[in-house]
Amino acid sequence: MHITITGNLGSGKSTICKLLNEKYQFEVYSTGKVQRELARQMNMTTLELNQLMCSDHKYDNMIDDATMRISRENKDKNIIFDSRLAWHFVEHSFKVFVSVSLDEAAARVMNDQRGQEERYSSLEEAKRLLAERAATEKVRYKDIYNLNYMDFSNYNLIIDSTYCTPDKIVDIILKEAKEYEKAGIETSKLLVSPRRLVKEEDITNEDKVRLRDLVSEYQKVDTVIDAVITAYKTEEDYEVQEGLDYVKAAFLAEVPYCEVKSI
C-alpha cells in the first residue's frame, strides 16, 4: 500500500508519517529524503542541490521523477510519501490531506523547535508568515506544475487535525486506506471536528435539553457520526448549511469527527 500525505503548514503531517512508520512499519519517503538520494546520485551535497533548485526548476522535476521511480519500483512495499505533490506523482496511492486551523498551526510552530529560520516573536506574526508562505507555495506550484495542492478534490481523505490526536488520526488514515484498497474505486471523504463547525457559545441550554437523546446516542460513537452535514468552506473555517443539530450533538458528545459534504 502506498499512501501520499500532504497538508497545511503546521498540520502535523510529519508526526503522522512518523507514527505510521512506528505503529504499522510503513517506510517513509519525504521530499527531503528523495532530495538527499538524488544529491548522492549527482555527487553533491543537499545544500548544493538546494542552491541549484532556486535557479533551475529542472531539479524539482528530477525529484518528481525520483518519487515516481520509487513508487514504481516498490509496489510490494508499504510506503508513506510525505510531500506536497506526491499525490500527483505516485502512480497509485491513497491520497491524504491533513488540514488544520491557522490559529492552531501558528500555536504549534510557536511551540516547536524548528531552527532559527522558523522563529516567531508572536502568535500573530506566526499566523501572518504561515499564511504568506502557504500563498507563496500555492503560486509556485501553480507556476511550475499548473496544480493547486490546496484543492480538496485531489484527495481521497481530508482529515482535520486541529482537535484530534496524531495517534487517532493515524488509525483513521489506515482504516480508510484499507477500505479504499478493498473497494477499488475513487472516493473522497472530508472529516472535520465538530469543534470547527460550531462554537460552544452557539449551543444554548435549550439545545442541550432538546438534543439530549441524540447526544446520548453519539456518546457511543468512536470516530464519525452517521449524519449528513453540508457546509461552505470559508477562508479559515466552515459554515454549516445542513445538519447543524447533528453537529451540536456531536460537539456535546465529544465525537472526534463529522463527515462533511463541502458546497
Side-chain angles (χ1 to χ4, degrees):
M1 183 185 295
H2 291 176
I3 300 176
T4 51
I5 296 184
T6 188
N8 297 125
L9 299 166
S11 63
K13 66 184 181 65
S14 295
T15 299
I16 289 166
C17 292
K18 180 181 177 183
L19 286 172
L20 279 163
N21 168 257
E22 293 174 351
K23 293 181 69 173
Y24 298 110
Q25 290 74 56
F26 275 78
E27 291 186 26
V28 178
Y29 280 87
S30 67
T31 300
K33 186 172 182 177
V34 174
Q35 185 174 334
R36 287 191 295 273
E37 180 181 326
L38 181 60
R40 284 195 298 270
Q41 292 174 2
M42 298 172 64
N43 295 317
M44 301 173 67
T45 66
T46 52
L47 177 59
E48 289 169 335
L49 182 55
N50 274 332
Q51 291 169 338
L52 283 174
M53 290 174 69
C54 291
S55 58
D56 193 335
H57 291 324
K58 77 177 181 182
Y59 297 101
D60 287 289
N61 297 328
M62 291 173 72
I63 290 173
D64 301 333
D65 290 341
T67 300
M68 286 188 282
R69 177 179 54 76
I70 289 167
S71 69
R72 284 196 304 267
E73 293 177 357
N74 294 276
K75 291 181 179 180
D76 59 336
K77 292 183 178 180
N78 290 331
I79 300 177
I80 300 295
F81 291 87
D82 175 6
S83 164
R84 288 278 185 269
L85 297 180
W87 58 268
H88 181 70
F89 292 106
V90 173
E91 291 185 346
H92 177 73
S93 73
F94 181 69
K95 306 172 186 68
V96 179
F97 188 99
V98 185
S99 68
V100 67
S101 71
L102 184 57
D103 283 340
E104 178 63 17
R108 289 176 184 177
V109 300
M110 282 284 291
N111 292 329
D112 284 350
Q113 299 298 321
R114 296 185 172 218
Q116 190 63 39
E117 70 278 5
E118 288 195 57
R119 290 188 183 276
Y120 307 97
S121 60
S122 68
L123 193 63
E124 286 306 311
E125 182 190 40
K127 286 173 62 176
R128 177 177 60 81
L129 293 177
L130 283 176
E132 289 176 1
R133 182 177 161 192
T136 299
E137 285 189 352
K138 186 175 179 180
V139 170
R140 178 172 177 263
Y141 295 138
K142 183 70 173 177
D143 287 345
I144 298 174
Y145 304 103
N146 195 30
L147 293 174
N148 179 9
Y149 82 95
M150 298 293 291
D151 182 350
F152 285 175
S153 67
N154 292 318
Y155 305 98
N156 302 116
L157 176 67
I158 306 95
I159 186 164
D160 171 32
S161 73
T162 306
Y163 297 105
C164 195
T165 66
D167 279 288
K168 183 73 171 177
I169 292 171
V170 162
D171 291 341
I172 294 170
I173 288 173
L174 193 59
K175 175 179 177 290
E176 294 291 337
K178 287 180 176 178
E179 290 181 0
Y180 167 79
E181 290 287 312
K182 184 177 179 180
I185 56 174
E186 286 293 326
T187 58
S188 184
K189 183 179 289 189
L190 172 60
L191 300 183
V192 182
S193 168
R195 295 170 68 182
R196 286 195 71 184
L197 297 170
V198 69
K199 305 300 181 188
E200 186 172 12
E201 56 266 29
D202 296 328
I203 302 176
T204 66
N205 288 330
E206 288 182 358
D207 288 331
K208 294 175 183 178
V209 173
R210 182 171 55 84
L211 299 171
R212 184 167 49 203
D213 289 345
L214 190 56
V215 171
S216 179
E217 178 185 335
Y218 283 171
Q219 284 173 338
K220 304 170 187 175
V221 175
D222 180 57
T223 304
V224 186
I225 63 170
D226 183 15
V228 176
I229 313 295
T230 59
Y232 286 114
K233 179 74 173 71
T234 63
E235 187 170 340
E236 290 192 24
D237 267 305
Y238 299 86
E239 183 179 326
V240 177
Q241 300 298 302
E242 182 181 353
L244 183 58
D245 278 352
Y246 298 128
V247 175
K248 289 180 177 180
F251 182 105
L252 293 169
E254 299 183 354
V255 179
Y257 288 110
C258 300
E259 183 176 351
V260 174
K261 303 296 182 185
S262 185
I263 56 176

